[in-house]
Amino acid sequence: MARLKLNKEEISTIESLQQRNNDLLFQIGDVEAGLRNLTKRKTELFEQWDELMSDDKAFGDTITEKYGKGTIDFQKNEIITED
């Protein structure tokens, strides 16, 4: 088995490749952390949206109980009943 010395250019290339590898791994980790935060935020927003849909349905049920079935004209702020 022989032990041969690498020249300065080869050592420099190895160090450069290692540094690029480390930089890319750091960036990949940064992107993954960002994706995790985005996924968490997305989940929170969908939970808020589900709550909004529930509130909307509850309010619609209240209006229907009070006025009967109908259509709301938002420009005139009135309900047009079906009966």
Side-chain angles (χ1 to χ4, degrees), residues 1-77:
M1 177 186 317
R3 291 183 174 252
L4 305 172
K5 288 282 188 181
L6 298 170
N7 65 39
K8 288 183 181 185
E9 185 178 318
E10 292 166 335
I11 292 170
S12 178
T13 299
I14 290 170
E15 289 172 345
S16 175
L17 290 169
Q18 287 175 333
Q19 185 60 51
R20 286 173 50 201
N21 183 63
N22 289 342
D23 291 346
L24 287 171
L25 287 175
F26 179 80
Q27 290 178 45
I28 289 169
D30 193 42
V31 167
E32 283 296 323
L35 286 172
R36 182 171 185 257
N37 287 337
L38 286 173
T39 300
K40 180 180 177 189
R41 181 69 178 133
K42 178 182 167 185
T43 299
E44 291 169 352
L45 289 171
F46 273 116
E47 287 171 357
Q48 291 175 20
W49 190 44
D50 289 343
E51 185 178 331
L52 172 65
M53 293 297 102
S54 177
D55 291 348
D56 183 65
K57 184 180 179 329
F59 182 72
D61 291 347
T62 300
I63 293 295
T64 300
E65 186 177 314
K66 183 174 182 178
Y67 298 103
K69 288 188 177 185
T71 305
I72 295 176
D73 182 337
F74 290 103
Q75 292 184 345
K76 294 182 181 179
N77 295 326

